[in-house]
């Protein structure tokens, strides 16, 4: 199941920018992908079924962190930092 979670998280994070920013949305996407039959159930039922299916919320967020270690250019925090740096350079050039 670990490899399946890793592949699923990587696939989702590569294509979905919103999933890169929001852990809860990423967890929802992973559950919908790996267990579509339980994704629409009540929250308490989903949580109990995830345990039986060996899907751990911690493993999903851990794989997200590993994904960003391998792909720092896709990390939204790095994107914002780069954008602010470019804006600062532009302002400095404009001020001259």
């Amino acid at each position: 199941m670990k490899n399946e979670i890793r592949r699923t998280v990587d696939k989702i994070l590569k294509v979905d920018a919103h999933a890169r920013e929001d852990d809860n949305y990423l967890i929802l996407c992973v559950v919908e992908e790996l267990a579509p039959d339980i994704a629409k159930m009540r929250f308490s039922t989903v949580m109990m079924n995830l345990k039986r299916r060996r899907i751990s919320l911690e493993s999903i967020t851990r794989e997200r962190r590993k994904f960003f270690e391998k792909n720092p250019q896709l990390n939204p925090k790095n994107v914002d930092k780069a954008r602010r740096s470019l804006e600062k350079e532009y302002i400095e050039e404009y001020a001259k």
Side-chain angles (χ1 to χ4, degrees):
M1 184 52 88
K2 272 187 181 180
N3 289 333
E4 196 172 343
I5 289 173
R6 180 179 300 123
R7 284 191 301 266
T8 305
V9 169
D10 284 353
K11 182 176 81 169
I12 292 169
L13 289 175
K14 285 178 184 173
V15 297
D16 193 343
H18 184 63
R20 292 182 214 134
E21 299 170 359
D22 187 355
D23 279 346
N24 293 327
Y25 180 72
L26 173 63
I27 290 168
L28 174 65
C29 291
V30 170
V31 171
E32 286 177 343
E33 180 88 19
L34 296 178
D37 55 322
I38 66 169
K40 303 295 182 201
M41 295 179 180
R42 289 181 15 181
F43 182 73
S44 58
T45 308
V46 169
M47 295 306 288
M48 293 307 295
N49 281 304
L50 287 179
K51 186 175 183 179
R52 276 189 237 131
R53 298 257 181 120
R54 296 183 180 178
I55 299 173
S56 167
L57 304 181
E58 291 83 11
S59 64
I60 294 171
T61 57
R62 185 180 321 111
E63 289 303 325
R64 178 181 184 264
R65 289 189 298 272
K66 287 180 182 179
F67 176 84
F68 286 136
E69 286 177 8
K70 296 176 197 170
N71 304 292
Q73 73 280 4
L74 294 177
N75 191 335
K77 293 176 185 172
N78 291 344
V79 170
D80 287 342
K81 199 181 294 183
R83 182 184 46 78
R84 280 189 230 113
S85 175
L86 286 173
E87 285 177 0
K88 184 178 176 182
E89 288 177 22
Y90 174 78
I91 290 170
E92 289 172 354
E93 282 294 318
Y94 184 75
K96 290 180 182 178

